């Protein structure tokens, strides 16, 4: 073993190998501890004085290499060396110098992770690279990152160091990361396999403590986060005076509504937030914000794009302010893109171009110019907004990684389809101060379907000239309001502050408050769509597991818990998490844990946490595959070199990897009484259902969905009573998408789901609800 320490004093690495103390009876002179998805630790005891070596300095660079050239440890000394009393000699008391080093994770942990929007729809390898680039991309090489697993949703925690965030991400993907000799690597757990046998080492199979309650289980209930439930359309009628309207249910609330708030206060473009594609130097930061001084003249070659994609769920508001665009400007500002940044891939944005010597702004939707063109006035500054609304709040489903009898498995993932409403509006800042003057609407329309996520490019400059003061992306909630004047055309109401030109706001007490100039007029119908909140939960059972134990032992073994990681944002996520857990918890070997000891494993293939051990034990008649959790390497005072390896292993149910579970479930959750034997089959939710009109006697509805064969659309006066039996709550069943509900009172509630012709019929998972607050006389 060779140990070098560079004290960063200009003298370079110094060989401390000869200064390593002799082993003590209770402690080895060199001990290296590796843990799964945690920084590696090294404790080294040195006798520096006898060898004329300097005491290692704080921040020193430590390298430990085995005699065969294997790097066992590389890292830093985060604190001063520790003097430890070793005894007396003829000249007085003697001390050992103990250094405690931490792997290169420590270097990355010294810089804070900036607060950002959640990462969406990327592989774990891509996300690790994004987070590392945000901290400092120069500290490690990242060509060892594998594209492990597609992650639907991961929210970095700025209060936690880099290593904690990377560990959470690696665990979520059932992967292992490490930093060694300047190289950051990420690989699936179990991708490296070591063949081991108790004929050449010591195997200690440790039985699980009864307090862990990790016996084989075949009935699992899991809870998750609060989820959006019914798709509510609530109807009101204006009278020209009323400005407060009470919603019957509380809309789902967003915990962190600000996704991005960039005011360009740094001296250069912040590359931890933006991907800068600007070989010509046309984009820069100045006193006026983002300075635009041209472009390469080709679509998609001069761009400023957020690293994080935007989840198109609920209402998402894109806003750029203090926008000044000069004559001759050409490009796109404030754009959402599905695919590479380019006009053809622009889902929604503002096209800037010249028309008849005027610089104009035109809404761009799916690569096509739509709506009303606006002529920019020289010297004026503008606020540009795009409001995007989806009835689905969480578009991306999480993936839950597992390992069972058939190897690795992934449950969940993918995207929820949804229509999209779009509203383009503009405010001329020369008209400040605002007195609720409203904003200019350039486009009010919709798309029948949309991607779950999109990239946001604040500029795609062919030749943009001017300045942009700030960019902001917010997700204020799930509420969206469409007004239909008496005898008029429906239009979208703007939600926000009065000085933003909005019509109304949603108050915390559940009221809609309309500003004076936005007061609904007599006969005007307000259709307010929103989602309501409820806890997410699922229960699944595996009927294939037979009776464990002797006669009289129950055939069902239950476990109830809460999914901490990856976050379960819906009951569908909970269901997928149940499947992943059942995949390994029904396998007795998944609860195995223990310890294996042998020496000089560095001569075969060095073992790291996350590697798999393929055990064979002729004495026990055992062949098992287990996952290494910690590796402890200890030196011995011998030549040739002998390094003792102690490997602690555990399988997924003994110590979960890809899921972090808790037995503390939310008290407000109503747990299912009966488990499902397989994931429940549902028809699609009616997330595009709309009320086309309402009169004093009828509600006309368009489900905007194709009715299933021998099925249709069922309307009930109460939720959760759907079924083939006739019940007092049944209002009607319609075989066509357009149908009419007869009214009987001012305030009524109707719930609609799709059903098919199977026996028993399948239904939508969630209801689309219609609440009326419209007089019948």
């Amino acid at each position: 073993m060779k140990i070098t320490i560079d004290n960063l004093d200009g003298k370079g690495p110094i060989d401390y190998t000869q200064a390593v103390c002799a082993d003590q009876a209770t402690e080895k002179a060199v001990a290296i501890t590796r843990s799964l998805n945690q920084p590696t630790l090294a404790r080294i005891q040195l006798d520096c004085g006898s060898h004329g070596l300097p005491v290692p300095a704080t921040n020193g660079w430590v390298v430990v290499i085995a005699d065969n050239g294997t790097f066992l440890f590389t890292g830093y000394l985060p604190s001063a060396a520790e003097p430890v009393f070793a005894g007396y000699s003829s000249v007085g008391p003697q001390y050992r110098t103990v250094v405690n080093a931490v792997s290169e994770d420590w270097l990355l942990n010294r810089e804070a992770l900036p607060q950002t929007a959640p990462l969406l729809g990327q592989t774990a390898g891509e996300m690790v690279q994004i987070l590392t680039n945000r901290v400092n991309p120069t500290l490690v090489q990242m060509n060892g990152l594998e594209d492990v697993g597609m992650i639907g949703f991961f929210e970095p925690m700025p209060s936690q160091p880099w290593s904690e965030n990377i560990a959470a991400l690696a665990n979520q993907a059932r992967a292992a990361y490490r930093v060694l000799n300047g190289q950051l690597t990420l690989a699936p757990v179990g991708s490296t396999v070591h063949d081991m046998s108790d004929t050449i080492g010591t195997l200690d199979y440790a039985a699980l403590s009864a307090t862990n309650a990790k016996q084989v289980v075949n009935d699992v209930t899991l809870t998750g986060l609060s989820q959006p439930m019914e798709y509510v359309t609530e109807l009101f009628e204006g009278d020209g005076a009323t400005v407060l309207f009470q919603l019957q249910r509380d809309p789902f609330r967003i915990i962190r509504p600000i996704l991005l708030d960039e005011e360009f206060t740094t001296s250069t473009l912040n590359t931890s937030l933006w991907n800068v594609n600007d070989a010509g130097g046309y984009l820069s930061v100045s006193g006026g914000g983002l300075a635009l001084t041209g472009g390469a003249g080709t679509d998609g070659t001069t761009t400023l794009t957020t690293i994080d994609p935007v989840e198109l769920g609920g209402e998402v508001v894109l806003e750029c302010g203090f926008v000044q665009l000069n004559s001759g400007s050409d490009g796109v500002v404030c754009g959402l893109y599905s695919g590479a940044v380019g006009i053809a891939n622009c889902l929604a944005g503002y096209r800037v171009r010249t028309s008849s010597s005027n610089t104009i702004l035109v809404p761009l939707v799916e690569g096509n110019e739509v709506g009303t063109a606006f002529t920019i006035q020289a010297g004026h500054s503008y606020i540009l907004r795009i409001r995007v609304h989806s009835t689905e709040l969480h578009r991306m489903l999480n993936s839950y990684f597992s390992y069972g009898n058939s190897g690795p498995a992934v449950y969940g993932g993918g995207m929820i389809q949804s229509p999209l409403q779009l509203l383009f509006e503009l405010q001329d800042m020369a008209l400040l101060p605002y007195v609720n003057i409203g904003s200019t609407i350039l486009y009010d329309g919709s798309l029948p379907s949309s991607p779950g996520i999109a990239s946001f490019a604040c500029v795609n400059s062919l030749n943009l000239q001017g300045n942009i003061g700030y960019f902001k992306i917010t997700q204020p909630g799930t509420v969206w309001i469409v007004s239909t004047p008496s005898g008029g055309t429906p239009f979208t109401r703007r939600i926000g502050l009065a000085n933003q030109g909005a019509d109304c706001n949603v108050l915390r007490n559940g009221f809609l408050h309309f500003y004076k100039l936005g007061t609904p007029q007599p006969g005007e119908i307000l259709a307010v769509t929103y989602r309501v909140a409820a806890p997410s939960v699922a229960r699944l059972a595996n009927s294939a597991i037979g009776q464990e134990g002797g006669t009289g032992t129950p055939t069902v073994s239950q476990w109830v818990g809460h999914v901490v990681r990856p976050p379960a944002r819906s009951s569908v996520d909970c269901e997928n998490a149940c499947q992943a857990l059942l995949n390994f918890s029904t396998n007795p070997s998944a609860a195995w844990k223990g310890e294996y000891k042998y020496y000089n494993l560095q001569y075969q293939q060095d073992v790291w946490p996350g590697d798999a051990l393929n055990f064979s034990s002729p004495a026990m008649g055992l062949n098992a595959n287990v996952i290494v959790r910690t590796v402890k390497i200890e030196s011995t005072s011998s030549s040739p070199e002998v390094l003792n390896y102690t490997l602690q292993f555990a399988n997924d149910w003994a110590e979960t990897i890809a899921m972090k579970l808790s037995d503390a479930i939310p008290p407000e959750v109503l747990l299912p009484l009966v488990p499902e034997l397989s994931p429940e089959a549902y028809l699609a939710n009616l997330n595009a259902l709309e009320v086309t009109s309402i009169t004093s006697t009828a509600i006309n509805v368009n489900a905007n969905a194709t009715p299933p064969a021998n099925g249709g659309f069922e309307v009930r006066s109460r939720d959760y009573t759907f079924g083939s039996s006739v019940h007092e709550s049944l209002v009607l069943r319609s075989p066509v998408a357009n149908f009419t509900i007869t009214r009987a009172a001012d305030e009524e509630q109707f719930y609609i789901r799709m059903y098919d012709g199977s026996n028993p019929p399948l239904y939508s998972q969630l209801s689309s609800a219609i609440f009326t607050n419209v007089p019948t006389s």
Side-chain angles (χ1 to χ4, degrees):
M1 178 183 288
K2 182 178 181 180
I3 299 173
T4 62
I5 302 177
D6 187 343
N7 293 305
L8 306 180
D9 54 4
K11 298 180 181 179
I14 299 174
D15 192 341
Y16 279 79
T17 306
Q18 297 304 313
V20 174
C21 298
D23 296 328
Q24 295 177 311
T26 58
E27 187 177 9
K28 298 296 184 181
V30 179
I32 298 170
T33 304
R34 304 164 173 171
S35 300
L36 179 61
N37 293 329
Q38 294 181 33
T40 301
L41 307 176
R43 181 177 173 87
I44 305 170
Q45 302 184 49
L46 302 170
D47 182 3
C48 297
S50 300
H51 294 82
L53 294 172
V55 174
T58 303
N59 298 338
W61 166 248
V62 181
V63 178
V64 181
I65 304 177
D67 287 349
N68 71 335
T70 299
F71 280 85
L72 301 176
F73 175 85
T74 59
Y76 292 88
L77 301 177
S79 58
E82 173 188 354
V84 176
F85 178 70
Y88 290 94
S89 69
S90 59
V91 295
Q94 299 296 308
Y95 293 87
R96 293 184 173 198
T97 299
V98 177
V99 295
N100 292 287
V102 182
S103 58
E104 294 153 84
D105 311 52
W106 171 79
L107 197 63
L108 288 154
N109 283 344
R110 297 182 68 179
E111 301 192 35
L113 187 70
Q115 184 172 12
T116 61
L119 304 180
L120 303 160
Q122 295 165 295
T123 66
E126 291 171 326
M127 291 183 177
V128 167
Q129 185 167 12
I130 288 170
L131 294 182
T132 305
N133 284 336
R134 285 191 176 136
V135 172
N136 192 331
T138 66
L139 297 180
V140 290
Q141 299 293 319
M142 289 181 279
N143 51 15
L145 299 176
E146 296 185 29
D147 288 333
V148 181
M150 183 63 69
I151 304 297
F153 176 92
F154 178 80
E155 186 164 18
M157 300 299 293
S159 61
Q160 299 296 323
W162 174 89
S163 62
E164 292 289 336
N165 279 282
I166 299 302
L169 185 51
N171 286 331
Q172 183 168 332
R174 201 174 183 272
Y177 93 89
R178 66 172 177 262
V179 188
L180 181 69
N181 197 28
Q183 182 70 47
L184 171 62
T185 60
L186 180 78
V189 162
S191 57
T192 300
V193 181
H194 308 270
D195 291 324
M196 301 290 179
S197 171
D198 60 1
T199 60
I200 59 171
T202 302
L203 171 64
D204 181 14
Y205 172 76
L208 287 173
S209 168
T211 58
N212 287 337
K214 288 294 183 70
Q215 72 278 4
V216 173
V217 298
N218 62 348
D219 185 342
V220 173
T221 301
L222 290 176
T223 63
L225 301 176
S226 177
Q227 67 175 333
M229 291 290 284
E230 293 95 346
Y231 304 82
V232 176
T233 299
E234 189 158 0
L235 304 171
F236 299 91
E237 183 176 356
D239 58 12
T242 302
V243 295
L244 285 176
F245 296 86
Q246 173 73 65
L247 297 174
Q248 294 188 31
R249 303 287 290 275
D250 189 23
F252 191 100
R253 299 190 183 279
I254 306 297
I255 296 176
R256 199 182 79 187
I258 299 177
L259 303 181
L260 173 69
D261 192 357
E262 172 65 285
E263 297 183 356
F264 300 106
T265 55
T266 56
S267 58
T268 59
L269 292 170
N270 187 347
T271 54
S272 68
L273 296 177
W274 301 99
N275 284 321
V276 183
N277 183 16
D278 181 25
Y282 302 108
L283 309 177
S284 62
V285 177
S286 68
L290 177 66
L292 311 173
T293 58
T298 305
D299 182 22
T301 58
T302 304
T303 62
L304 186 63
T305 310
T306 54
I307 294 173
D308 299 328
V310 179
E311 187 172 22
L312 301 180
E315 183 184 5
V316 177
V317 181
L318 314 175
E319 179 179 312
C320 49
F322 293 94
V323 179
Q324 287 186 321
L325 295 170
N326 301 328
S327 177
S329 288
D330 189 7
V332 179
V333 297
C334 198
L336 282 174
Y337 294 84
S338 178
V341 176
I343 292 174
N345 294 328
C346 186
L347 187 70
Y350 283 92
R351 180 74 170 97
V352 184
R353 60 178 176 82
T354 300
S355 176
S356 301
S357 73
N358 294 318
T359 301
I360 64 171
L361 281 170
V362 189
L364 197 63
V365 174
E366 292 191 315
N368 300 306
E369 294 185 5
V370 297
T372 303
F374 181 86
T375 301
I376 295 174
Q377 302 298 312
H380 285 220
S381 295
Y382 299 93
I383 296 176
L384 308 179
R385 273 188 214 95
I386 302 176
R387 299 178 187 266
V388 180
H389 177 256
S390 165
T391 52
E392 299 290 350
L393 179 62
H394 300 143
R395 304 291 304 278
M396 305 302 294
L397 295 171
N398 252 327
S399 298
Y400 292 86
F401 295 80
S402 179
Y403 192 93
N405 291 328
S406 301
V410 183
Y411 299 92
M415 180 197 79
I416 299 176
Q417 190 55 256
S418 173
L420 212 62
Q421 281 76 42
L422 299 169
L423 184 72
F424 288 69
E425 59 178 308
L426 174 148
Q427 285 179 282
D428 189 338
M429 300 182 72
L431 301 178
L432 286 169
Y434 301 113
V435 189
N436 195 19
I437 60 172
S439 56
T440 302
I441 304 301
L442 301 183
Y443 178 72
D444 188 352
S446 63
L447 296 175
S449 62
S450 63
I453 58 176
S455 58
F456 172 67
C458 50
V459 294
N460 172 18
S461 178
L462 282 73
N463 182 31
L464 291 173
Q465 306 282 342
N467 293 279
I468 300 178
Y470 68 85
F471 289 93
K472 183 183 293 186
I473 304 177
T474 57
Q475 191 180 31
T478 64
V479 181
W480 191 258
I481 305 172
V482 175
S483 276
T484 304
S486 178
T489 302
F491 66 96
T492 301
R493 290 286 199 166
R494 292 150 292 181
I495 302 172
L497 302 177
N499 63 4
Q500 295 174 329
D503 300 304
C504 62
N505 208 353
V506 182
L507 305 182
R508 299 290 295 184
N509 59 4
F511 277 93
L512 288 180
H513 175 222
F514 281 83
Y515 306 122
K516 183 177 180 180
L517 295 182
T519 303
Q521 296 305 297
E524 181 178 341
I525 298 297
L526 303 174
V528 185
T529 60
Y530 59 90
R531 302 290 297 276
V532 296
S536 57
V537 62
R539 181 179 178 184
L540 284 180
N542 187 339
S543 60
I545 296 299
Q547 183 171 300
E548 294 289 330
T551 303
T553 303
T555 59
V556 173
S557 178
Q558 291 184 246
W559 194 83
V560 179
H562 179 76
V563 183
V564 179
R565 187 196 66 240
R569 302 192 292 170
S570 67
S571 292
V572 175
D573 279 346
C574 289
E575 197 173 76
N576 291 323
C578 283
Q579 290 188 84
L581 197 153
L582 284 171
N583 187 47
F584 58 72
S585 67
T586 54
N587 178 7
S589 66
W592 287 351
K593 65 185 301 186
E595 188 175 86
Y596 181 81
K597 295 180 179 180
Y598 199 49
Y599 62 89
N600 282 353
L601 293 179
Q602 76 277 11
Y603 283 97
Q604 301 176 25
Q605 185 180 16
D606 196 15
V607 182
W608 282 85
D611 290 354
L613 302 182
N614 186 24
F615 272 126
S616 63
S617 173
M620 296 176 60
L622 171 69
N623 281 290
N625 191 277
V626 295
I627 301 301
V628 178
R629 301 309 179 97
T630 62
V631 177
K632 189 168 185 179
I633 306 171
E634 296 179 309
S635 64
T636 61
S637 301
S638 62
S639 182
E641 176 182 68
V642 175
L643 300 178
N644 289 332
Y645 277 71
T646 301
L647 313 179
Q648 292 182 337
F649 60 83
N651 275 350
D652 290 53
W653 189 218
E655 296 178 16
T656 55
I657 299 176
M659 287 193 293
K660 183 177 180 181
L661 303 172
S662 168
D663 57 7
I665 64 173
E668 70 274 11
V669 180
L670 183 63
L671 300 179
L673 297 178
V674 179
E676 296 292 330
L677 297 181
S678 61
E680 291 191 62
Y682 298 109
L683 299 182
N685 293 320
L686 301 175
N687 59 12
L689 180 141
E690 64 176 331
V691 175
T692 56
S693 65
I694 183 171
T695 68
S696 60
T697 59
I699 304 170
N700 295 310
V701 178
N702 183 358
N704 282 316
T706 302
N710 300 316
F713 307 93
E714 186 171 300
V715 183
R716 297 269 178 174
S717 60
R718 296 211 314 266
D719 206 358
Y720 307 110
T721 59
F722 289 87
S724 56
S725 62
V726 177
H727 188 273
E728 62 178 357
S729 65
L730 179 64
V731 176
L732 65 88
R733 292 190 179 105
S734 171
V736 295
N738 290 283
F739 53 90
T740 299
I741 302 173
T742 301
R743 299 189 59 199
D746 294 355
E747 295 186 4
E748 292 180 294
Q749 295 185 358
F750 301 100
Y751 299 88
I752 304 106
R753 298 193 191 194
M754 185 159 57
Y755 69 95
D756 68 6
S758 57
N759 187 19
L762 297 177
Y763 281 83
S764 305
Q765 183 182 26
L766 301 177
S767 293
S768 292
I770 300 174
F771 298 164
T772 65
N773 304 273
V774 178
T776 55
S777 61

